[in-house]
Amino acid sequence: ANVLIENDKRVDKDRIRMKDKSDHATTENVLDSRIKKKLHKLFERGVLAEINGCISTGKEANVYYAKSKNQDEIAIKIYRTSILTFKNREKYIRGEYRFDHVYSLHNPRKMVKIWAEKEFSNLKRLEQGGIRAPRPLLYGGHMLLMEFLGSDGWASPKLKDAILTESKSRMLYRECIEIMWKMYNKCRLVHADLSEYNILYHNGSVVVIDVSQAVDRDHCNAIEFLRNDCSNITAFFKKHNVGVMSLQALFDFITD
Ligand code: ATP
Ligand code: MN
């Protein structure tokens, strides 16, 4: 309980300033009272033993580092409930048969709950498809608990920040292609935001993260999203002097 009080103190510092369209500064608190209650329950149930600070504060979510009672490292992702974030994300939910029916434009909190549920279900699909990604643990409200990727409390770097030799880059390029192929053909998913920003370099391999916006293959924009993913991956490895396939060849390889 002490840890949570400590954490409560940190909450005020956790306020971030966002500017809305009319340029009025608005303050948004990620750890609202509902989330705090949920976290409190997880402490009581022994799922969590400590929360040790923030791994990342971004536009769409904050990610916190935590430990379970038996010292397993956990990443807690808490999605922002601000209007700015879900306007951006509507196109990923609309036309997605799994979630379209529950999408309510009138209730921000409900809408953002869907990100957590969607990311959880997508991570499950990745796990079943044998794709390296954080193991999903549980979700509730606009919060998701998953396996922490890193060691001794240090998160593994994003692919964009990894220091790679040319031969390592070639290897990781092949891994990325395999991941995209498996995602499409085994999990029936398109990541839809795949880039060096949403791939971690962990234990010498690439690991996919941030799949809240990933869509089913049947989504009306799936092909457009996949092209974009292919293009990001190609551009990144080209920059690292890997002899990459043409965009079309890559796209055909994944979809044929
Ligand atoms: P943002 O607005 O910051 O882009 P986001 O929705 O993109 O938020 P993620 O990409 O899922 O959120 O996570 C943000 C960052 O937190 C990642 O780039 C990564 O550095 C870190 N992170 C996320 N999940 C994990 C994890 N399971 N283990 C370790 N680090 C993680
Ligand atoms: Mn991200």
Side-chain angles (χ1 to χ4, degrees):
N2 272 342
V3 185
L4 200 60
I5 292 165
E6 257 306 302
N7 201 57
D8 274 359
K9 281 187 206 147
R10 218 175 290 156
V11 166
D12 286 322
K13 286 186 227 148
D14 205 74
R15 281 169 189 279
I16 54 139
R17 307 201 96 211
M18 295 180 79
K19 296 212 166 185
D20 67 19
K21 272 199 198 124
S22 50
D23 228 354
H24 292 303
T26 50
T27 308
E28 187 207 10
N29 196 337
V30 180
L31 294 180
D32 63 19
S33 61
R34 287 181 205 219
I35 284 292
K36 277 190 263 174
K37 258 186 211 148
K38 282 221 153 61
L39 287 170
H40 201 93
K41 281 204 184 117
L42 293 177
F43 276 97
E44 281 172 355
R45 281 170 49 197
V47 176
L48 294 177
E50 46 184 296
I51 299 181
N52 275 330
C54 203
I55 302 167
S56 163
T57 54
K59 293 190 307 295
E60 317 249 295
N62 280 5
V63 180
Y64 298 88
Y65 174 78
K67 272 186 177 170
S68 72
K69 227 176 188 172
N70 36 11
Q71 297 298 99
D72 290 330
E73 295 178 297
I74 295 172
I76 306 178
K77 182 169 178 178
I78 302 178
Y79 306 80
R80 297 199 183 291
T81 49
S82 78
I83 205 121
L84 289 168
T85 59
F86 47 79
K87 272 196 181 145
N88 284 339
R89 296 198 156 200
E90 194 186 345
K91 64 173 176 183
Y92 300 103
I93 291 276
R94 290 273 171 229
E96 164 77 87
Y97 70 90
R98 289 179 295 166
F99 300 97
D100 212 353
H101 59 289
V102 280
Y103 206 67
S104 156
L105 271 173
H106 305 292
N107 188 336
R109 201 177 297 279
K110 263 190 195 158
M111 285 166 73
V112 109
K113 265 172 82 170
I114 297 175
W115 305 137
E117 185 186 346
K118 205 164 185 271
E119 182 143 32
F120 185 87
S121 111
N122 289 338
L123 285 173
K124 278 276 175 212
R125 280 207 201 180
L126 296 187
E127 189 178 32
Q128 278 151 17
I131 294 171
R132 258 189 264 268
R135 196 160 34 82
L137 301 172
L138 61 90
Y139 70 93
H142 50 285
M143 165 171 88
L144 168 77
L145 270 63
M146 63 187 144
E147 173 193 3
F148 170 79
L149 299 170
S151 62
D152 301 324
W154 294 94
S156 297
K158 295 182 180 73
L159 182 58
K160 80 168 181 72
D161 297 321
I163 296 159
L164 306 169
T165 62
E166 276 192 23
S167 72
K168 192 73 195 181
S169 297
R170 273 197 300 279
M171 206 185 106
L172 297 184
Y173 173 60
R174 279 195 292 266
E175 283 186 21
C176 286
I177 292 176
E178 192 190 328
I179 285 172
M180 285 193 284
W181 188 93
K182 276 191 184 166
M183 263 184 106
Y184 193 79
N185 293 287
K186 292 181 100 176
C187 311
R188 300 188 63 85
L189 281 177
V190 173
H191 188 291
D193 194 17
L194 194 66
S195 76
E196 61 273 28
Y197 290 83
N198 282 329
I199 294 174
L200 298 186
Y201 181 56
H202 179 67
N203 295 342
S205 288
V206 292
V207 183
V208 184
I209 61 162
D210 202 2
V211 290
S212 60
Q213 75 295 311
V215 297
D216 191 271
R217 253 171 78 155
D218 294 333
H219 186 284
C220 54
N221 300 122
I223 288 301
E224 178 200 327
F225 294 148
L226 180 62
R227 272 194 198 282
N228 195 48
D229 287 353
C230 288
S231 146
N232 291 342
I233 294 300
T234 301
F236 175 76
F237 286 103
K238 215 171 176 175
K239 222 167 51 193
H240 283 256
N241 298 320
V242 176
V244 294
M245 327 163 62
S246 77
L247 206 53
Q248 190 62 43
L250 176 58
F251 183 82
D252 291 345
F253 172 73
I254 293 167
T255 54
D256 270 356

